[in-house]
Amino acid sequence: MKNQYFGDVNDYIKYGLLRTIIKTTEWRIFVAWYLTPDDNRTDGNRLGYLSERKSYRKYDPALFDFLASKVSSTNERTVNMIECSNMLPDAVYHSTLTPDRNEDRTVWFSELRDAFNGQDLAFLDPDNGLEIKSKPVGRKNSSKYVSLQEVRKFWSFQSSLLIYQHFPRRPREVFIAEMRNRLHELVNGATIITYQSTNVLFLLVLQPKHEQFADMIRNKMKIQWQQKLVAC
């Protein structure tokens, strides 16, 4: 996650997904931003949806109005805007910049662990998604990925997971199947639900103790988000 992305269409969809899960389950949420510094790229400028009010607002009117207000009222977009709101009730956040260096990443994750307090769901929000072979922790830009070891650690905390994953330029059905298989190899006993928007895949990895909520989440998402965020 970068602050420059705040309020874009991917933000609207991911907060909407989290809000639907919270309303359906009453879970407590932990948000690990995997924050990285802003850059000069145009990523995060996907704000056209805000001018398509009729098409987008219906999915979550309160969230849409909140993001539209924040984006229009300031030039500085930051995750602090959602942290200081009540859009994700009682959520706990970890907002420290994610480092590349191995030793620094260990300290960073230790601090993250200290902030975690037994929340039911941990949302992991990296720039790109799950670790790839060319970007293990310690390598330049590894901060843009959730390491596989960190997934295992979060799973050991008995928290269910929601992971943000950008689509690469590959056939989507094949990629989604690969992501599901990777997660099944990483964690034991998980129920995995996947949702896709135009640009992003969301991987919801449920602990066995939360499996009872799977159908409730599926049904609520199908009703509320229709074609904008679909099970896959």
Side-chain angles (χ1 to χ4, degrees), residues 59-196:
Y59 298 106
D60 192 328
L63 177 62
F64 183 94
D65 291 348
F66 167 78
L67 293 174
S69 172
K70 292 300 182 183
V71 169
S72 65
S73 65
T74 181
N75 291 324
E76 185 178 5
R77 294 149 58 190
T78 73
V79 295
N80 182 255
M81 292 176 173
I82 197 82
E83 292 180 2
C84 292
S85 75
N86 196 39
M87 288 293 105
L88 302 177
D90 301 318
V92 175
Y93 300 90
H94 183 261
S95 309
T96 306
L97 286 174
T98 312
D100 283 335
R101 291 181 67 248
N102 219 322
E103 298 84 353
D104 295 339
R105 185 73 168 251
T106 298
V107 173
W108 175 88
F109 192 84
S110 178
E111 294 172 350
L112 184 153
R113 176 66 182 92
D114 290 341
F116 180 84
N117 189 29
Q119 281 78 19
D120 302 291
L121 178 72
F123 174 46
L124 313 183
D125 190 22
D127 283 352
N128 292 348
L130 285 177
E131 175 187 331
I132 57 177
K133 289 182 180 180
S134 62
K135 298 293 181 183
V137 172
R139 192 161 294 180
K140 184 179 179 180
N141 290 329
S142 59
S143 54
K144 295 183 178 183
Y145 299 86
V146 177
S147 80
L148 304 186
Q149 183 182 23
E150 288 161 358
V151 172
R152 293 190 187 98
K153 286 182 177 179
F154 264 113
W155 191 252
S156 73
F157 302 160
Q158 298 299 304
S159 174
S160 290
L161 306 174
L162 179 65
I163 304 171
Y164 181 98
Q165 173 71 57
H166 265 291
F167 280 114
R169 294 179 179 177
R170 296 179 52 199
R172 290 196 171 183
E173 289 185 4
V174 174
F175 180 73
I176 292 167
E178 288 180 0
M179 290 297 99
R180 294 174 68 94
N181 290 336
R182 288 184 74 190
L183 287 169
H184 278 302
E185 292 173 358
L186 282 172
V187 300
N188 293 319
T191 297
I192 299 175
I193 304 174
T194 51
Y195 288 100
Q196 65 174 321

